[in-house]
Amino acid sequence: MIDGAVVHSPATESLEGDSPRDRCPECVGPLVHRDGCVACTACGYSSCG
């Protein structure tokens, strides 16, 4: 608290724009759009097979 005001420190990691559809259904890693498919950079999952 500073001069009667509550001060919150910024979060160390922003989850803004992060939704379950942006996460891999196999490992919950980050998904990227590549060549018309969605692929996981962590485990190699791909929506194209």
Side-chain angles (χ1 to χ4, degrees), residues 2-48:
I2 299 175
D3 294 327
V6 176
V7 178
H8 297 278
S9 61
T12 56
E13 182 179 4
S14 174
L15 297 177
E16 185 174 277
D18 189 27
S19 71
R21 71 174 187 202
D22 297 328
R23 293 292 179 176
C24 176
E26 298 289 326
C27 74
V28 196
L31 293 174
V32 295
H33 296 270
R34 187 181 310 151
D35 300 325
C37 299
V38 178
C40 177
T41 59
C43 74
Y45 166 84
S46 174
S47 64
C48 290

